[in-house]
Amino acid sequence: MVLNLSPQANELQYKFIKKFNQTWGLKESVIELNIQIGHLSQSLINQGLIKNVLPWNQPNRCLNNISDELCDCFLSVCSIYNFFAIKNSEIKTINAKKYESYTEAMIDLFNLSAQLLDSCMICLNIKPNLNRDERAQFLFIYFNIVEILSFLADTLQIDIETEFSTMIESALDFLNNERC
């Protein structure tokens, strides 16, 4: 799925970078994935799919469009794919476990996204190397995240390719807006 979405995502990413004169790379993409996983979690809470937790909504912002937040997660995943220069020969299907609840899936996503950031910082020499194949570690974590996001899309019956294309069009309209 990532390969199908990646060319559109890359084009959009570079338009944002150019339009807003951003410095953006692997680290920023991994950080953004963490943020988007939080937005996805808040949307699941606000839609009642994760229960018994407080809705930590930001002032003047109610996150409740699960499909859009899931697309934002996949946009970050595609950005990471590009900036980490993942090769076709490295692509793996993990066959992630099937979750009993959205809460379980989100806990794993939060855990893995933190691990991905840690691995990213090691790959970028921000943190010391732990004498392991950090690229392999990063890819293992990354593909598990992709599998969980795909599981959520399938379970929620979201046609991610169609929704992703709609999100891309909306973002391009935003970028082409004169007020932007």
Side-chain angles (χ1 to χ4, degrees), residues 86-150:
I86 297 173
K87 299 171 185 71
N88 288 346
S89 62
E90 295 175 302
I91 296 173
K92 293 186 177 30
T93 300
I94 305 295
N95 294 320
K97 68 180 185 178
K98 305 302 179 215
Y99 293 93
E100 297 293 320
S101 70
Y102 295 112
T103 303
E104 289 178 12
M106 292 310 300
I107 288 169
D108 276 359
L109 269 178
F110 280 119
N111 182 1
L112 288 168
S113 67
Q115 290 180 36
L116 191 69
L117 182 55
D118 184 58
S119 183
C120 173
M121 293 177 73
I122 293 168
C123 286
L124 295 174
N125 296 315
I126 297 169
K127 290 182 71 171
N129 189 310
L130 302 174
N131 294 321
R132 63 183 182 205
D133 181 352
E134 203 58 47
R135 184 170 182 87
Q137 181 72 13
F138 185 97
L139 290 171
F140 175 77
I141 298 164
Y142 172 83
F143 287 119
N144 274 285
I145 289 171
V146 171
E147 287 290 327
I148 296 169
L149 292 171
S150 297

Side-chain angles (χ1 to χ4, degrees), residues 50-67:
I50 295 178
K51 301 187 184 317
N52 299 324
V53 294
L54 291 173
W56 295 99
N57 286 311
Q58 301 170 16
N60 301 320
R61 184 174 188 190
C62 183
L63 299 166
N64 58 19
N65 187 335
I66 296 169
S67 178

Side-chain angles (χ1 to χ4, degrees), residues 1 24 31 42 45-46 57 70 94 115 127 160 162:
M1 181 182 302
W24 199 271
I31 292 168
Q42 189 62 61
I45 292 167
N46 289 344
N57 286 311
L70 196 53
I94 305 295
Q115 290 180 36
K127 290 182 71 171
I160 204 65
T162 299

